[in-house]
Amino acid sequence: MPTYDYKCKACGQTFEEFHSMKDDPIKDCPLCGKKGEVDRMISNGSGIIFKGTGFYVTDYKKSGSGESSGSTTSSASSSD
């Protein structure tokens, strides 16, 4: 279930609500209590979340060993 961002036209405050996509948008502001004064905003969404093992920054980013061995191999083959 996604989190939606809302903004109240009466008090100007923003808040988030967590509900199903099938549910109707919220119309009443829980902060100031005004009825029918809430607009749902377009949000950026969230980033990709990788769950489980094996997804780390260091998995594909070697500390220079991959690049230096590749450049050594290419320079060795070019001198032969």
Side-chain angles (χ1 to χ4, degrees):
M1 290 197 307
T3 302
Y4 293 98
D5 295 327
Y6 290 91
K7 183 172 184 175
C8 179
K9 292 185 250 181
C11 65
Q13 294 191 30
T14 59
F15 58 94
E16 295 179 341
E17 287 292 325
F18 181 73
H19 59 81
S20 174
M21 290 190 287
K22 294 179 182 180
D23 292 344
D24 291 331
I26 295 173
K27 296 179 183 175
D28 303 335
C29 179
L31 304 173
C32 70
K34 295 283 186 174
K35 303 254 185 227
E37 295 292 323
V38 176
D39 287 330
R40 186 162 66 182
M41 300 187 314
I42 298 173
S43 64
N44 294 341
S46 61
I48 298 173
I49 300 172
F50 292 105
K51 292 188 177 184
T53 59
F55 294 102
Y56 297 97
V57 173
T58 57
D59 280 350
Y60 300 108
K61 193 181 226 181
K62 304 290 182 192
S63 61
S65 62
E67 292 178 7
S68 63
S69 64
S71 61
T72 307
T73 314
S74 64
S75 64
S77 64
S78 64
S79 62
D80 286 338

